[in-house]
Amino acid sequence: MTSTPYPPAPLQKAPLSEAQAFLAAYPDVQAIDIVLSDLHGVGRGKIIRRHELESLFTSGRGMPASLFAQNVSGHDVEDAIACMNDGGGDSRCWPVPHTLGFQTATGRGMVLLHMETPNGAPTPTDPRNAMMTQIARAKAMGLTPMGALELEFYLVDQERDAEGKPQPARAPMTGRRLSGTNCMSVDELDEMAPFFDAVYEGAAALDLPMESLISEYAEGQFELTLRYRDLARAADDIVRSKRLLRTTARRFGMEACFMSKPFAQSSGSGMHLHLSMMDESGANIFADPSENTLAPRMLTAIGGIRASMADSMLILAPVLNSWRRFAGTIYSPASNSWGSEDRNVALRIPSGAPKTRHFEHRVAGVDANPYLVAALVLGAALDGMDAGTAPGAEGVAGEADYPPMPVGWLDAIDRFEASEAMKTILGAPLHQIFAAVKRGEYNALAVEVTELEWKLYGTTL
């Protein structure tokens, strides 16, 4: 595969009219959260006052690019900082179009940001810019990527149990602590109705297209789906949805938990990406060409994703906890595989009308950065379409057709760091700094003596 970088997409800046319309619609709002997503999808930024909003849209706002060289807890990673060549000065951040809205839970506004370098180019270490580069690549091919991401999460009590461990939240309507699996229980959703009513109210104010809600496969676990639309807005939807869920949960004495595997004996939380592509006429190029026949271009897209799946696992499972999700096999796509209507494979083709055909990438945990997930899945799909890559045999048996998956987090870091495919899709600066940050996190955890180690070995050996 070529290591020639793709030309970055120009930064799309929200027009001043969006700020003016917001201020007119919400005359009592006095503050606005301005949010830049870091490498981990964690929101970094500021709360500005009402009178500062228009200048944000006309002049941007300074923030250090070193935000992309921090670990999850916001501490600089030495080897990642060494990758920076900006002298530590501020870069300019601009509002992302269509993301300014009102937060009903906080009474403040919120808008997402993306960053440009001092010379006006998109900051290469900003994950959203990496996604936009791959979207621009698709558009140069006459294609518009369409998608939706599913959001699985837990609601936990703000107070720990008697042993100091996290515990499921209490239902706002009944005060009952959620217990039992209760998969797809409508009664459990009814008990949680005050909270989710507030979430849907907040989604309407933010113009977030939230749709179905289900009780998932563990106590306190839920899933929200969002409407299918262009891929950039679909990824923005996830970032804004997480913030909506967090701020609303706090007002109900709960916390929204986006760990991939928060409870050892319960199911993990994924962030499945559904993807298709439209041509210039608006037709879905993945639509079945004839009855019981899958589109060749969709199959080559699946082949491209499978070809780089092993290299991409650090993006899809970015932290130590991510790998606990693959320990259970119930609907956990731990293999590089594809198939139709099979929830045990990594790449699933759902049933449905032939003209709406698409595939579902099921590997990413909810702890992954949605911008990086969108960038690598789209980029790998385009690679496969360019090269005509075969998808390999269908089902788990076809796993042997492509390189073996990493066996753990350190293996994933090594694979990612050495991958030319990931360097090309993400760009060399982002690839280098992401690998450095994750290796720094690994090294920090590797020397930490845990409570479990004390329990097992402390007075026994």
Side-chain angles (χ1 to χ4, degrees), residues 83-131:
C83 300
M84 310 291 291
N85 298 307
D86 62 354
D90 276 354
S91 294
R92 189 65 44 183
C93 292
W94 297 90
V96 174
H98 311 298
T99 63
L100 176 60
F102 177 63
Q103 300 177 101
T104 55
T106 67
R108 300 189 300 270
M110 177 178 67
V111 66
L112 302 186
L113 305 177
H114 46 185
M115 183 181 284
E116 69 178 9
T117 64
N119 65 6
T123 297
T125 51
D126 184 335
R128 193 178 191 280
N129 291 341
M131 174 187 70

Side-chain angles (χ1 to χ4, degrees), residues 139-162:
K139 288 186 176 296
M141 298 166 63
L143 302 172
T144 298
M146 304 293 292
L149 292 117
E150 299 172 359
L151 190 60
E152 297 176 352
F153 60 96
Y154 279 83
L155 291 172
V156 298
D157 202 310
Q158 289 179 345
E159 295 184 359
R160 299 291 183 99
D161 66 15

Side-chain angles (χ1 to χ4, degrees), residues 278-298:
M278 293 192 312
D279 64 18
E280 292 171 330
S281 72
N284 176 16
I285 68 166
F286 289 171
D288 298 355
S290 59
E291 188 174 358
N292 298 321
T293 303
L294 296 174
R297 296 182 81 181
M298 182 176 71

Side-chain angles (χ1 to χ4, degrees), residues 14 51 64 66 103 111 121 129-130 156 221 244 270 298 403 414 417 426:
H51 69 271
S66 59
Q103 300 177 101
V111 66
N129 291 341
V156 298
Q221 188 186 34
L244 169 62
M298 182 176 71
D414 291 339
E417 193 170 37
L426 299 177

Side-chain angles (χ1 to χ4, degrees), residues 44-310:
R44 309 287 179 189
K46 309 176 182 182
I47 298 179
I48 63 173
R49 306 307 297 172
R50 179 184 181 89
H51 69 271
E52 299 177 276
L53 183 63
E54 289 193 20
S55 67
L56 172 69
F57 278 69
T58 58
S59 304
R61 193 80 175 203
M63 291 189 195
S66 59
L67 288 171
F68 299 119
Q70 295 179 342
N71 62 20
V72 174
S73 59
H75 292 96
D76 290 346
V77 177
E78 185 176 348
D79 287 347
I81 290 291
C83 300
M84 310 291 291
N85 298 307
D86 62 354
D90 276 354
S91 294
R92 189 65 44 183
C93 292
W94 297 90
V96 174
H98 311 298
T99 63
L100 176 60
F102 177 63
Q103 300 177 101
T104 55
T106 67
R108 300 189 300 270
M110 177 178 67
V111 66
L112 302 186
L113 305 177
H114 46 185
M115 183 181 284
E116 69 178 9
T117 64
N119 65 6
T123 297
T125 51
D126 184 335
R128 193 178 191 280
N129 291 341
M131 174 187 70
M132 295 307 298
T133 293
Q134 292 302 318
I135 290 175
R137 178 187 169 198
K139 288 186 176 296
M141 298 166 63
L143 302 172
T144 298
M146 304 293 292
L149 292 117
E150 299 172 359
L151 190 60
E152 297 176 352
F153 60 96
Y154 279 83
L155 291 172
V156 298
D157 202 310
Q158 289 179 345
E159 295 184 359
R160 299 291 183 99
D161 66 15
E163 296 180 355
K165 296 180 180 180
Q167 58 185 336
R170 293 185 181 275
M173 183 177 290
T174 63
R176 181 184 70 86
R177 191 173 304 286
L178 301 177
S179 62
T181 299
N182 276 338
C183 182
M184 301 190 76
S185 167
V186 178
D187 284 336
E188 187 166 283
L189 295 180
D190 182 56
E191 288 187 80
M192 298 297 294
F195 167 73
F196 283 112
D197 287 347
V199 168
Y200 280 113
E201 180 184 2
L206 289 168
D207 191 27
L208 265 174
M210 282 188 175
E211 296 190 328
S212 300
L213 166 70
I214 66 171
S215 173
E216 260 290 347
Y217 208 73
E219 55 267 29
Q221 188 186 34
F222 299 90
E223 178 186 271
L224 278 165
T225 60
L226 292 110
R227 188 178 310 141
Y228 210 78
R229 54 174 164 179
D230 71 90
L231 185 59
R233 294 194 70 181
D236 290 336
D237 287 345
I238 289 295
V239 175
R240 296 195 299 150
S241 294
K242 282 188 171 183
R243 295 200 60 77
L244 169 62
L245 287 163
R246 282 195 177 100
T247 55
T248 307
R250 291 184 189 124
R251 272 75 182 172
F252 282 82
M254 301 182 285
E255 295 290 346
C257 175
F258 299 105
M259 287 177 67
S260 184
K261 187 75 168 179
F263 300 103
Q265 304 306 317
S266 299
S267 61
S269 294
M271 187 175 63
H272 304 165
L273 169 60
H274 296 253
L275 184 72
S276 64
M277 299 194 206
M278 293 192 312
D279 64 18
E280 292 171 330
S281 72
N284 176 16
I285 68 166
F286 289 171
D288 298 355
S290 59
E291 188 174 358
N292 298 321
T293 303
L294 296 174
R297 296 182 81 181
M298 182 176 71
L299 293 175
T300 57
I302 289 173
I305 293 170
R306 293 194 67 199
S308 60
M309 181 81 80

